[in-house]
Amino acid sequence: MTRRILAFVSLVFLAALAPLTAQIGETNNTVVVITSDASNYVLHAGGTVAKMVEDGMDAILIRIGNDEKDSWDLPPEETALRTKQESEAAAKILGINKVISLGFRSSDFRDVPFTTMRDRLAYYIRVHKPRVLFIPNPHTQYDRNHDRYYGGRAAEDAWRAAAFKNYLPAMKDVNLGAHVTPEVYYFAPLVDPARREPESTATFVPQPKMTDISGTLEKKIKAAQALKTINHSVAMRLKQRLDSTDRRLPLLDRVDEASINKLVEERVRGLAQLSAEGTDFQAAEEFRYAGAEYRIPASYR
Amino acid sequence: MNRFTLSIVLLGICGVLSAADLPLVDPPPGKVLLVAQPHHDDHTTDYGLAGVILRFIADGYKAYYVRGTNDEKDGRLGFPRNDMVNLKETYDALRILGMEDHVINLNWRNNFETPYALNDQREQLIFLVRKYKPDAVAGHNAWEHYQKNPGHRNLSWNYEEAYWLAGYRNVHPEHFEMGVEPHETYHYFGKARLDWGRGHRPNVILEMTEEQVKVKEKAIHAHQHVYANPGGARATRTRLAQQGLYLPDLEDVDDDTTAGNMMIEWHMNWISRRWGKEANVKYGEDYYYMGEFYPLPGLEEFLDDNVEAK
């Protein structure tokens, strides 16, 4: 009797898994990158995305924010337009073949209803059925740009919501069913002192993962340099700060395209070096990674 | 739990925390410190800020206090009187700290912070940063874990963005009609309780003199409306007596309120010594400090090597 009950339970369990397997089976060889702002993903995930493209994946970028605030002396509308065009240029350099700009007002994510942002992201996940997702890490600490927290939170839940057919049920009528994305990379600026602490096992918590970007570092630098409006803003703010405290960075004595590009290059190389610490890589990026081991204990795989 | 018992418990908790050699920092060069906190008494608690305020004032800063809420819930006199008495005691305490009457009251309704639009309070803070042009700001560490008080949580969350967004011309451009200009601040000192989990990890210690610790001890019990604790002193004496013990320092003190204040002072003195140990000095306060190149990891080494004096 006990054997029969066990056999029945096992059959029910396998039957429950079947749709999940089917959904994973429909996955495209696509990476979808979700970013709150134009520079965050380039600086902290660009090299890895470029490498995946070189290895044969298609890549799509979803920009949540319109980046209207981040310029030195341009009005919001002009800032948003230029950064959109420059984001497209940067994405192209990395090999991303489509950029979707959702147009939420940057720096104002905090009062956007959570589900408004999440459901738009979940829609695109269902449309593109990615194998890999890159999202801002909402669990990172000490990133004082809170758009990344709100965007990351929405993206993380969109990953989950896209996998359940009872979310966004209207899409069922247009044959846009649930989609399980099997791999997720969480990216973040390197400011969290605890960013490499595992917190828990891989079954429960995405684990620290470093990737080798030596082969795509030059591409990443060029992509970062393409974000001209933001880079000009960073350079001018730095120069303003130094001027106001009677200091100078000789590189910025004259702020022009060449000096800004050099500053960006130094920044990207510096980040790659920081992330490579403790690894055998010359240049790296670091993530929290949720792959096959996440939620599925090794003994079940 | 009275403060004496609390001290003993905290001593035990802190005893198991690993000791770290935290670097000492001094106030950066500047003139204005803008402290933003939700409540009347947050400028001086066992977990900080009075030390920052006193050190900065000693270095010639002018310090301003933004009181985010009306504190109507804190006290036993009913909403309006709690607000009025707590405001008066804010002034009393800030004068002790040397902040004169530099209080800006935002008057958000106390403990109704969760449902309001976060951008509304952040906008006020952005405006204040533009108006007062602080060289340094101080408040709660927005990343503290298990912070149950929505006032602390929300105001620090808003302040952590306000102090740098204030430097962006496309953020609330309507402010410029009022004669202010963009102003970005480059030094943030965040306080929090270390015994509330993994969020707050101090990265600096600010040293205090014995005299400054004495001022801090006085500033906290300026808030007698909520801190006077004669019952706590009585209970401590009774419990000690039951065990055949007594505190010599309390023997000649007849008034239980005075005795309670003394116990608050002991507690403040103890916590200042406890944090001083982290940097091998007698007295200190711990902070999570975000400096001027904080948002540019990757460039810090390059800037260290190449920035020069004019």
Side-chain angles (χ1 to χ4, degrees):
Chain A
M1 184 65 183
T2 313
R3 273 188 188 175
R4 282 183 187 172
I5 291 170
L6 275 174
F8 177 73
V9 169
S10 302
L11 276 173
V12 169
F13 180 69
L14 287 171
L17 278 181
L20 188 70
T21 316
Q23 287 151 10
I24 292 172
E26 292 166 18
T27 298
N28 295 327
N29 194 29
T30 300
V31 47
V32 167
V33 182
I34 297 173
T35 192
S36 291
D37 52 284
S39 64
N40 194 27
Y41 92 95
V42 177
L43 293 174
H44 306 109
T48 308
V49 172
K51 184 163 191 320
M52 287 179 177
V53 172
E54 285 181 0
D55 290 346
M57 293 188 79
D58 284 331
I60 291 162
L61 172 68
I62 303 175
R63 296 171 61 225
I64 303 176
N66 66 356
D67 292 289
E68 66 176 20
K69 308 288 194 301
D70 201 357
S71 64
W72 178 245
D73 52 7
L74 298 170
E77 300 80 4
E78 182 69 20
T79 307
L81 178 62
R82 287 195 193 189
T83 307
K84 179 176 183 290
Q85 292 163 346
E86 291 160 8
S87 284
E88 287 162 358
K92 197 172 175 186
I93 292 166
L94 295 173
I96 294 169
N97 54 26
K98 184 174 184 179
V99 179
I100 299 158
S101 295
L102 299 185
F104 286 93
R105 288 185 66 198
S106 289
S107 300
D108 288 347
F109 286 11
R110 46 183 51 209
D111 289 329
V112 174
F114 174 72
T115 47
T116 300
M117 197 177 279
R118 180 200 68 187
D119 289 356
R120 292 190 69 184
L121 295 170
Y123 165 79
Y124 283 112
I125 290 171
R126 285 186 178 179
V127 168
H128 294 289
K129 299 180 174 27
R131 182 165 69 78
V132 179
L133 256 183
F134 281 81
I135 65 172
N137 188 348
H139 306 284
T140 202
Q141 301 186 115
Y142 298 106
D143 183 355
R144 57 183 205 168
N145 181 335
H146 296 170
D147 277 0
R148 294 164 187 164
Y149 167 76
Y150 292 104
R153 226 167 47 126
E156 185 183 51
D157 200 38
W159 166 39
R160 180 176 171 277
F164 287 85
K165 66 179 180 183
N166 284 345
Y167 285 84
L168 293 83
M171 290 181 188
K172 196 170 53 178
D173 293 343
V174 290
N175 222 5
L176 205 55
H179 172 71
V180 177
T181 307
E183 292 181 75
V184 177
Y185 289 75
Y186 294 73
F187 60 89
L190 310 180
V191 291
D192 184 351
R195 66 184 185 275
R196 289 194 179 182
E197 293 174 14
E199 292 195 57
S200 182
T201 64
T203 306
F204 301 103
V205 171
Q207 295 294 291
K209 176 173 180 154
M210 269 64 86
T211 58
D212 182 2
I213 61 160
S214 308
T216 53
L217 181 61
E218 299 307 317
K219 216 178 252 189
K220 177 176 174 175
I221 291 168
K222 285 195 169 51
Q225 288 170 336
L227 301 170
K228 293 180 190 302
T229 303
I230 290 173
N231 296 336
H232 180 247
S233 169
V234 171
M236 290 305 292
R237 281 171 214 289
L238 181 58
K239 183 176 167 55
Q240 175 184 255
R241 171 63 183 161
L242 295 172
D243 283 346
S244 70
T245 48
D246 291 325
R247 292 172 294 171
R248 65 186 274 264
L249 179 64
L251 176 66
L252 294 183
D253 282 348
R254 183 187 165 89
V255 179
D256 56 17
E257 191 170 346
S259 63
I260 293 173
N261 281 345
K262 178 65 181 162
L263 190 72
V264 172
E265 180 182 344
E266 290 294 341
R267 187 179 184 187
V268 174
R269 289 193 191 283
L271 287 170
Q273 212 170 343
L274 271 181
S275 290
E277 281 174 9
T279 73
D280 294 330
F281 306 140
Q282 295 297 309
E285 283 172 346
E286 52 189 290
F287 302 93
R288 291 280 178 159
Y289 174 70
E293 65 276 25
Y294 184 56
R295 293 188 183 168
I296 307 171
S299 56
Y300 291 2
R301 278 184 269 129
Chain B
M1 189 186 296
N2 66 38
R3 287 185 175 272
F4 181 73
T5 315
L6 185 65
S7 301
I8 303 295
V9 171
L10 288 175
L11 187 62
I13 292 168
C14 292
V16 300
L17 294 171
S18 59
D21 288 327
L22 291 172
L24 285 170
V25 291
D26 293 320
K31 294 174 185 166
V32 177
L33 171 70
L34 189 64
V35 181
Q37 286 284 14
H39 307 125
H40 62 114
D41 56 344
D42 291 326
H43 51 78
T44 309
T45 69
D46 36 5
Y47 288 88
L49 288 188
V52 159
I53 294 166
L54 291 164
R55 284 289 310 274
F56 277 63
I57 288 175
D59 278 17
Y61 270 75
K62 193 173 269 193
Y64 296 86
Y65 189 65
V66 179
R67 175 182 174 242
T69 77
N70 65 2
D71 288 303
E72 65 179 19
K73 308 292 190 303
D74 202 2
R76 55 191 180 281
L77 301 176
F79 290 176
R81 285 203 176 84
N82 283 340
D83 183 0
M84 292 162 70
V85 174
N86 287 330
L87 175 59
K88 179 205 169 289
E89 291 184 347
T90 305
Y91 282 106
D92 293 344
L94 294 186
R95 285 179 199 128
I96 291 169
L97 290 173
M99 295 175 85
E100 302 171 29
D101 286 343
H102 299 150
V103 181
I104 301 132
N105 280 295
L106 297 184
N107 273 320
W108 290 84
R109 192 174 182 194
N110 188 199
N111 289 339
F112 271 76
E113 289 92 344
T114 303
Y116 60 57
L118 290 168
N119 280 340
D120 290 356
Q121 190 182 65
R122 188 187 68 180
E123 185 266 331
Q124 293 185 333
L125 294 167
I126 287 170
F127 178 76
L128 292 174
V129 170
R130 287 172 172 170
K131 180 180 175 190
Y132 290 97
K133 303 184 188 316
D135 301 285
V137 296
H140 256 78
N141 179 348
W143 300 95
E144 178 182 32
H145 285 198
Y146 299 100
Q147 175 54 264
K148 294 162 279 293
N149 188 316
H152 294 164
R153 213 170 43 228
N154 285 9
L155 195 130
S156 60
W157 188 244
N158 292 331
Y159 204 28
E160 193 189 58
E161 273 202 332
Y163 86 95
W164 62 273
L165 277 179
Y168 285 66
R169 195 161 275 282
N170 287 348
V171 175
H172 292 292
E174 70 276 13
H175 288 175
F176 308 128
E177 301 293 325
M178 292 184 276
V180 296
E181 286 294 317
H183 176 82
E184 186 168 352
T185 307
Y186 294 91
H187 303 278
Y188 188 102
F189 289 82
K191 75 159 189 175
R193 294 181 64 114
L194 193 66
D195 47 359
W196 281 4
R198 302 172 71 179
H200 177 63
R201 295 188 184 190
N203 55 9
V204 297
I205 296 288
L206 208 83
E207 186 182 9
M208 289 185 291
T209 64
E210 184 142 6
E211 193 178 303
Q212 286 166 337
V213 175
K214 293 279 178 213
V215 175
K216 180 175 165 176
E217 292 167 11
K218 296 292 176 208
I220 188 171
H221 69 61
H223 296 278
Q224 285 293 285
H225 176 47
V226 293
Y227 280 108
N229 188 17
R234 274 198 299 274
T236 302
R237 285 197 233 244
T238 305
R239 277 206 304 279
L240 289 171
Q242 284 167 350
Q243 298 170 57
L245 300 170
Y246 71 101
L247 272 168
D249 287 351
L250 289 184
E251 280 305 285
D252 297 329
V253 181
D254 294 331
D255 174 39
D256 283 334
T257 300
T258 306
N261 287 342
M262 286 172 68
M263 289 169 61
I264 292 171
E265 290 173 17
W266 295 340
H267 177 71
M268 296 298 271
N269 192 284
W270 163 76
I271 195 82
S272 303
R273 279 183 280 120
R274 190 257 172 270
W275 284 114
K277 275 183 195 168
E278 296 290 330
N280 299 315
V281 294
K282 191 168 181 188
Y283 298 108
E285 281 181 351
D286 71 299
Y287 290 96
Y288 191 81
Y289 168 68
M290 293 185 276
E292 60 181 347
F293 302 134
Y294 179 84
L296 298 171
L299 261 188
E300 280 172 313
E301 201 175 314
F302 176 75
L303 294 174
D304 283 346
D305 292 344
N306 293 284
V307 169
E308 55 191 54
K310 274 187 178 173

